[in-house]
Amino acid sequence: MSQVSEIKCPHCGKWTLWNGSVDDRCLYCDEFLEPQRFSREIEKKIADEVKKENDYFAIKPGDGLFKRRVKRFFNSFRWAVYYLEIAFFIFITLLLVLLSLMAA
């Protein structure tokens, strides 16, 4: 369902076919037709991979379905506990501030 159109190559200046995808290349000079968009997509992929690797329970390609689900659950549970701790400390801080204002 991709529509083919033409775009002028930013490198060689010739008109070439373009499908609208990130990794389209010029037919003449074999350079990317949208280098900024391509590099942005690659950076986003790398950032996602780094984020996945920094999880407490890293999901490896060799893990089975059950093991992946358990690791995802524990990673999500870890973040939920982290945010609950932050909310608890904010609540206690506000409670202490209100108590100190009422005592004055």
Side-chain angles (χ1 to χ4, degrees):
M1 287 280 275
S2 64
Q3 187 177 6
V4 178
S5 59
E6 286 188 348
I7 189 173
K8 196 172 202 178
C9 176
H11 303 283
C12 66
K14 295 182 181 178
W15 288 94
T16 185
L17 297 177
W18 180 57
N19 293 329
S21 65
V22 175
D23 56 348
D24 282 342
R25 292 178 173 264
C26 177
L27 297 174
Y28 302 101
C29 65
D30 202 38
E31 293 289 332
F32 289 107
L33 294 174
E34 296 179 303
Q36 297 87 2
R37 184 174 162 209
F38 178 76
S39 59
R40 211 175 20 245
E41 290 293 323
I42 294 298
E43 287 173 3
K44 190 187 302 183
K45 276 185 183 179
I46 291 172
D48 289 343
E49 290 296 321
V50 167
K51 183 180 171 188
K52 287 178 184 176
E53 287 176 3
N54 287 341
D55 278 342
Y56 194 71
F57 296 105
I59 298 173
K60 299 175 185 154
D63 291 343
L65 179 65
F66 179 74
K67 197 171 187 180
R68 276 185 277 154
R69 286 189 178 170
V70 169
K71 285 183 176 183
R72 264 192 227 119
F73 171 76
F74 279 119
N75 285 331
S76 300
F77 183 73
R78 173 181 169 235
W79 283 109
V81 168
Y82 174 73
Y83 289 125
L84 282 173
E85 285 177 2
I86 291 173
F88 176 74
F89 288 122
I90 290 173
F91 173 73
I92 295 297
T93 304
L94 290 175
L95 189 65
L96 289 173
V97 167
L98 287 174
L99 287 174
S100 66
L101 289 175
M102 286 174 35

